[in-house]
Amino acid sequence: MRLTAFFILVYQSLVSQAQNPLYIPPALTGPVFNLNIQSGSKMFYGTNATPTYGVNGSWMAPTLIVNKGDSITLHVKNGLSVKTTMHWHGLHVAAKNDGGPHQIILPLGTWSPSFKIRNNAATFWYHPHGAGQTDPQVSKGLAGFIIVRDSTEASLNLPRTYGLDDIPLNVQSKAFDELKQIAISTDMDTALFVNGTLHPLLNVPQQVVRFRLLNGSSLRSYNLGFSNGQIFYQIATDGGLLDTPVTLSRLRLSPGERAEILVNFSGLIGQTINLKSYSSELAKGIYGADSIGKGIDIIDAYNDNFLNGSDFNLLQINIGATSVNPVITVPLSLVPFKHFNITSATRYRKIEFDTIRLLPADVPNLADGPFGMNHKSFDMETINEIVHLNTTEIWTLVNHTLVAHPFHIHDVQFEVIEKNGKPISISDKGWKDVVLIMPNDSVKFISRFETFSDPMVPYMYHCHLLHHEDDGMMASFLVIDTSASTGIINVEQVHYLLYPNPAINNLTFQFKDAIHFAEVNIINVLGEIILKQTISNSNSLILDVSTIKEGMYFIQVIERGNTENNRFSIQKFIKQ
Ligand code: C2O
Ligand code: CU
Ligand code: CU
């Protein structure tokens, strides 16, 4: 089996060497975006049709160009025969507009979130985010760019003509099976795409060109560089412009991460160079390096994939004549970076990456998973963390496994402040929403949770290796507003009477109708669950709170109906 796969791969790489013009996704501008998710097919290999997905087409998705401050509406129509979701990766939006696993779009359904663009100018992306369904849907073509512009960025002398000197590059590796269907959960991701184009070729003018790099791959990290040894300048990270351009000859990009770079092609007219991944230089443990794991804790077919640990081309670049009004210099400074104040952090959390057992018979593998966060696998009905609105937190991410995991959190951009107890290097500075955590590494970031709270709808944090995410390496957090004046945080979501409140000994829940199943948690101000009780097929519950210390608490009730519609509420409770 492995051998067959190997010969097919060699054959593929021999027959399809012709260069194809790089696809530049069409740019849409708001304020209303109609995004029709559809299925179709493409001939990537000879006459074999590969089933694909796309937005407003059968393959890949348009680029959304928006300005900070714009109020936009997106009509996302699901033309697939399976349910989907659409997540605006990196955008600071309310949880109900975030497009995580809880905002399901049924087949033929339309989801129409409206929100204001609050992020600074940077490169974001959008992709499905269903529970267990992210990898298959992204791999089949559902991934598009979101470019946010703002006045600060506009005042800088930067290339910004989309498709001409401002080029989106979504680098993805994909696996195909013998029938040329896009395959999931295999380590044979040997087909390299940029913007959905195999063996892509791009003509650029001989001047300063901006590339908006996105690693949209399911698993693979890249170590980007140019075949002529060309240096380049990183100007932006995931969430915004840096304070000054950083001069580089290599840039490591893990799945989910973005980077904007400037490349000065002046004087190179007539030349052809390649954007490559120098994966031979990737540190061990990163998916894409020459080795992962040790002993029995390895990924089975990993060493059969010839991309791992080798250097390969991603994009052929032909340099032509200068365009009108070229940018010919790289700015010396960009946007001042406003650091978070570390002393303002009021809450510390630790998120540990480890293997988990999904089934009792599972033998988890430290290189191959399944992996969890804080020893748990993702569950739609569980809230893993509760964050208070308008507070600053420091999270420590600890990797106990043998593979590097790109950690991503929704809602916020963060600042990495420490790696393995040491101050960070220049490559980790700037606004981030994805950070790669090496095996046995521990990374601290700081962020502030602002603007949006919702006692019902959670945000996600997860590993952006899509196979890991789908296998459960994901968790959720609520942002709740503890200053809500009435004591009930979301009145219309509370389907029960709670009395007495304040209470001394017994606390009674009287549900409005008999409920199938509910979980009641009493949570202290630190967000820790101190009392947990369940109720089934009844309409009341009496909790003994006599041993709880006096003070303020939150009561979280998760009501599970017979249908998929769970109801979730939080309210304040005072123990006397
Ligand atoms: Cu790009 Cu939660 O994802
Ligand atoms: Cu995201
Ligand atoms: Cu992972």
Side-chain angles (χ1 to χ4, degrees), residues 58-359:
S58 57
W59 178 236
M60 306 308 290
T63 299
L64 315 182
I65 300 187
V66 296
N67 299 301
K68 182 175 183 176
D70 284 357
S71 288
I72 64 166
T73 299
L74 303 116
H75 298 296
V76 188
K77 181 158 189 253
N78 181 6
L80 307 179
S81 57
V82 292
K83 51 188 184 183
T84 189
T85 55
M86 196 54 86
H87 167 58
W88 324 107
H89 179 130
L91 292 190
H92 178 45
V93 298
K96 68 175 194 314
N97 293 328
D98 194 45
H102 297 78
Q103 287 88 53
I104 292 164
I105 319 173
L106 293 172
L108 300 178
T110 300
W111 177 58
S112 300
S114 289
F115 52 82
K116 186 165 143 189
I117 302 295
R118 293 169 186 270
N119 290 74
N120 293 334
T123 305
F124 304 93
W125 65 306
Y126 62 105
H127 62 78
H129 211 302
Q133 290 304 310
T134 302
D135 196 4
Q137 299 191 357
V138 173
S139 294
K140 283 180 96 172
L142 297 179
F145 282 93
I146 302 173
I147 295 177
V148 175
R149 297 190 162 147
D150 66 17
S151 55
T152 316
E153 187 262 355
S155 70
L156 295 165
N157 184 29
L158 292 171
R160 60 173 67 78
T161 308
Y162 180 77
L164 186 98
D165 62 4
D166 182 352
I167 316 248
L169 298 177
N170 172 9
V171 182
Q172 293 180 305
S173 63
K174 295 178 195 288
F176 286 84
D177 65 15
E178 285 85 346
L179 299 169
K180 296 294 177 273
Q181 318 268 297
I182 292 168
I184 313 300
S185 300
T186 145
D187 303 304
M188 283 299 162
D189 58 324
T190 55
L192 297 164
F193 288 83
V194 180
N195 299 347
T197 311
L198 272 175
H199 306 292
L201 158 75
L202 174 70
N203 296 315
V204 298
Q206 62 147 343
Q207 63 201 49
V208 174
V209 171
R210 177 185 199 164
F211 291 126
R212 296 175 185 266
L213 301 162
L214 157 67
N215 183 346
S217 298
S218 300
L219 294 167
R220 182 169 300 279
S221 287
Y222 303 94
N223 186 35
L224 302 170
F226 293 94
S227 58
N228 62 340
Q230 175 100 32
I231 55 158
F232 52 93
Y233 307 88
Q234 184 175 6
I235 58 166
T237 50
D238 297 329
L241 291 163
L242 290 165
D243 48 6
T244 49
V246 177
T247 307
L248 298 171
S249 59
R250 295 284 187 268
L251 172 74
R252 190 188 74 196
L253 208 61
S254 66
E257 278 187 299
R258 290 87 64 212
E260 293 180 29
I261 62 169
L262 298 181
V263 191
N264 192 347
F265 293 112
S266 305
L268 298 178
I269 190 166
Q271 295 195 26
T272 292
I273 63 173
N274 282 292
L275 171 67
K276 298 184 63 156
S277 178
Y278 293 89
S279 297
S280 62
E281 300 163 9
L282 282 174
K284 288 187 199 321
I286 298 177
Y287 195 101
D290 63 355
S291 90
I292 283 183
K294 48 179 186 268
I296 52 164
D297 291 313
I298 52 164
I299 301 176
D300 261 350
Y302 190 80
N303 293 325
D304 296 346
N305 187 330
F306 59 84
L307 293 181
N308 294 331
S310 63
D311 300 341
F312 47 84
N313 290 343
L314 290 166
L315 173 69
Q316 182 181 317
I317 299 170
N318 292 348
I319 300 140
T322 312
S323 71
V324 288
N325 299 324
V327 172
I328 51 168
T329 56
V330 171
L332 293 173
S333 68
L334 299 161
V335 180
F337 186 80
K338 257 185 72 209
H339 295 279
F340 288 102
N341 176 359
I342 293 182
T343 60
S344 71
T346 52
R347 180 73 207 263
Y348 294 77
R349 287 173 213 268
K350 189 172 179 184
I351 311 293
E352 297 184 87
F353 308 165
D354 216 335
T355 54
I356 40 158
R357 274 168 207 269
L358 296 178
L359 300 167

